Amino acid sequence: MRRAVLATAVLTASVAVTLTPVTSSAAAPYKGANTAAVQDDFNGDGYRDLAVGAPYAANGSVEAAGAVVVLYGGPGASVSATRRTVITQATSGIPGDPEEYDRFGGTVADADLDRDGYADLIVGTPDEDVSGKELRGSVTVVWGGPNGLKGGANIAPPSGYGDGRTYCRFGLSLATGDMNGDGAPELGVGSGCEAVTYTGPFARTGKAAQTVHDDFYGGTRGVVMGDVDGDGRAEQFWLPGPTDGDLRGPVYVQHGGKAGEPNPTAVRTELPYADGHAGQIGDINGDGYGDLVTGISEDDSLAGETGAAHRGGEIQVLYGSAQGITADQKPTVYHQDTAGVPGTAEDGDEFGQSLSVGDVDGDKYADVLIGSPGEAVGTHKLAGTAVLLRGSASGLTTAKAAGYTQDTAGIPGAVESGDQFGAAVHLADLNKDGRAETVVGAPTENSDGCLWVARGSASGPVLGGSVNVCGKSAGIGVYNVKGYFGAALSSPHVEN
C-alpha cells in the first residue's frame, strides 16, 4: 500500500506577471528543435533558451499566481534579464486565470510538441483548482515560433483521471522524449494521482495523438525520458516517490513502442536495486548510451523515519547499454560522505533535491550538477550549495569535483540564511560554444529570487564574469510573499 507522500508544501512566496515581447532574426524554423542540442530553442534562432519558473510570482495584487520567464540564449554571455518573455495565466492567448496560490510555473519542460520546428514551453501548475476540485492541477503548452512564445492550450487529463481522489496535483513532474522514433516527442506527466503519457504529435488545441492513462503507479513524484539502449527510442522511467517500506522510492522502466503503438508499452519492469524521487538521463561515460541519474534528497531527519536517503541526501547512477538498464543492475551511489565529493553530509542538506546532466567542458562526457538547498554555509542555515561531478570514460568521477556557494570567489551575491541556492539547477549550452552553462537557482534570495549563470569552458564553469539574474529585473512582480524566481528549471527537482 502506498502511503500519502505528496502533501501540499507550506511555503511563503509570491510573484507578478508581465510580458516583454522578443523578436528573432530567424526567417524559417530551426530544424534542430527536437535534437538534444536545441530542444529548447523557442524562437528558432539556433540558440537554446532558458525557461525559469517563478511559482509564487504575483499578478498585481494576486499573490502566488505564478509566472515563467524565458531568457533567450545567444552569443557571449548567453542570457540576460533584458532579452526575455514573461508568461502568466494573464498573458493573451494563455488559458486559465491568475488566482491566488495557483503556482503557475511550479514545473517547466520543453519540446517541439507540434513538429513545426520550434520548441514549445510546457508549464505545470500542480496547485491549481480546476472545476471546483481543490489542487487538481493543470498542464499548459505555450507554442514557440519565429517571434518567440505566443498562444497556448491546456493539455487535459484523460477521462477518469483521479476519480474519487483529491489533491491530484497534475503536473507535479514533466518529461519529454521520442518513444516511438517518429520524430514527435511524447510527454510524461506525474501527479499525486495517476501517471499519464501523451503520444505526439500534438494539435494546437493541446490534443495528443494518443493518451495512455496508467494508475499502476499511484502517486508519481518523478518521470524521466531518454534513450538508454541506443535504439533511437526513449525509455520512460517512473519514480513514484516514497512508499510504505521504501522511503527511497522505487524505479520502474517502460520501453517505447513502434510508430502507431501506444506509448509507453504495457510492459513495465521494476529496477529493484534503484531508488529515486527525480531524475535525468545523459551519456556520462561517452559510450553512446544514456545513463540514468536519480536524486533522493529526503534523509531520515526529513522523512521522520529510518530507511530514507543517506544522511544529507544522495544521487544514484545507472549506466545504459545495448540491453538498456536491466533489473539486475546496482547503482553507483554518491553523497557528501563519498570520498572526493565536496562538503560534509549533515541532516537536512537535501543533496539531490535538484540535478542536471550536461557537458560543461566540451569533452563529450556528460557531467552532473547536484543541488543541495538545505546546506548550511558557516552559520547561515539553508544557504544552499551546488556540487559538480565530472563524467569520464569510466563513468561519473569525483576527480575535479567542485562545490559552489554564494561565498565562492567570483560568484555574485553574498551568503545569507534561507537563500536555498541549489533548489533548482540546469546545464545547457546557451551560447552555442559546445560547453554547457551552469545555472543555479536561489529562489528565496531577497524578495524575488535569483539565478546564477556561469559560462562553460574547457576547464569547466567560468566564475569570473558570471552573473546573477533576479526576478524583478526579469519582469516578475512580488506581492506579500517571495517570488521564488529560480525555483523551477527544465532539469528536474523534487516538487513536494
Side-chain angles (χ1 to χ4, degrees):
M1 185 81 146
R2 297 198 187 288
R3 63 175 192 150
V5 297
L6 298 169
T8 306
V10 179
L11 301 172
T12 54
S14 164
V15 186
V17 289
T18 56
L19 176 66
T20 303
V22 65
T23 59
S24 166
S25 60
Y30 184 79
K31 297 304 182 183
N34 272 335
T35 67
V38 202
Q39 71 175 31
D40 39 11
D41 179 13
F42 301 116
N43 61 355
D45 64 355
Y47 291 94
R48 299 180 72 171
D49 305 314
L50 180 64
V52 185
Y56 288 88
N59 191 289
S61 61
V62 181
E63 64 186 66
V68 177
V69 180
V70 171
L71 304 174
Y72 288 92
S78 72
V79 295
S80 75
T82 58
R83 194 165 184 263
R84 69 177 190 254
T85 293
V86 182
I87 303 290
T88 77
Q89 288 180 302
T91 301
S92 177
I94 305 303
D97 297 299
E99 298 167 316
E100 287 189 355
Y101 290 90
D102 273 355
R103 295 184 62 244
F104 180 84
T107 54
V108 294
D110 39 67
D112 182 8
L113 294 184
D114 59 356
R115 284 196 300 189
D116 67 349
Y118 299 97
D120 308 306
L121 173 67
I122 306 152
V123 182
T125 311
D127 289 358
E128 183 164 28
D129 296 348
V130 179
S131 300
K133 295 181 179 180
E134 193 173 355
L135 273 66
R136 173 74 167 179
S138 67
V139 173
T140 303
V141 57
V142 185
W143 305 110
N147 295 315
L149 293 155
K150 184 177 181 180
N154 278 333
I155 297 176
S159 176
Y161 168 83
D163 279 354
R165 305 180 69 180
T166 57
Y167 308 127
C168 279
R169 304 189 71 210
F170 185 68
L172 189 69
S173 57
L174 304 167
T176 60
D178 183 4
M179 298 184 68
N180 59 12
D182 66 353
E186 278 62 63
L187 169 65
V189 180
S191 76
C193 290
E194 297 104 42
V196 182
T197 304
Y198 299 88
T199 299
F202 286 71
R204 282 291 178 115
T205 60
K207 182 176 176 57
Q210 292 178 310
T211 302
V212 179
H213 176 203
D214 197 332
D215 62 2
F216 169 79
Y217 303 104
T220 305
R221 181 173 279 191
V223 56
V224 188
M225 287 191 191
D227 183 5
V228 298
D229 59 8
D231 67 353
R233 299 192 295 268
E235 282 69 51
Q236 184 166 235
F237 295 84
W238 291 108
L239 288 64
T243 65
D244 287 343
D246 188 357
L247 296 179
R248 292 167 177 254
V251 178
Y252 297 89
V253 59
Q254 287 183 290
H255 295 276
K258 297 177 182 178
E261 292 181 351
N263 287 304
T265 58
V267 178
R268 61 178 72 88
T269 302
E270 183 173 8
L271 303 178
Y273 299 108
D275 310 289
H277 300 167
Q280 194 170 49
I281 291 170
D283 188 1
I284 293 169
N285 57 5
D287 64 356
Y289 302 104
D291 308 311
L292 174 66
V293 184
T294 63
I296 313 105
S297 61
E298 193 173 80
D299 61 13
D300 291 354
S301 72
L302 297 176
E305 302 178 50
T306 59
H310 185 277
R311 185 183 186 191
E314 66 185 69
I315 67 164
Q316 299 186 1
V317 183
L318 286 163
Y319 293 96
S321 69
Q323 293 74 44
I325 293 174
T326 58
D328 61 351
Q329 279 187 259
K330 294 183 178 179
T332 306
V333 180
Y334 298 85
H335 42 71
Q336 288 183 298
D337 281 337
T338 300
V341 174
T344 301
E346 299 164 315
D347 287 349
D349 281 348
E350 295 183 288
F351 183 84
Q353 163 68 20
S354 60
L355 60 90
S356 187
V357 184
D359 184 3
V360 299
D361 52 12
D363 65 356
K364 310 304 181 185
Y365 300 108
D367 310 303
V368 180
L369 184 65
I370 307 115
S372 182
E375 179 102 0
V377 180
T379 60
H380 299 285
K381 296 181 179 180
L382 298 173
T385 186
V387 170
L388 180 67
L389 302 180
R390 302 296 187 95
S392 73
S394 58
L396 198 61
T397 175
T398 60
K400 299 191 290 184
Y404 306 101
T405 74
Q406 290 183 299
D407 203 27
T408 301
I411 294 181
V415 167
E416 298 169 307
S417 296
D419 280 351
Q420 297 188 78
F421 184 83
V425 298
H426 189 52
L427 296 174
D429 182 9
L430 302 171
N431 60 6
K432 210 165 61 170
D433 67 354
R435 304 176 180 100
E437 274 62 65
T438 296
V439 182
V440 180
T444 44
E445 182 169 9
N446 304 326
S447 65
D448 49 352
C450 298
L451 280 181
W452 172 58
V453 184
R455 290 187 299 108
S457 75
S459 58
V462 179
L463 305 191
S466 62
V467 298
N468 264 355
V469 178
C470 296
K472 289 181 180 178
S473 68
I476 71 161
V478 175
Y479 182 76
N480 283 342
V481 292
K482 292 191 174 189
Y484 276 62
F485 177 80
L489 300 167
S490 54
S491 291
H493 67 281
V494 178
E495 179 73 11
N496 295 312

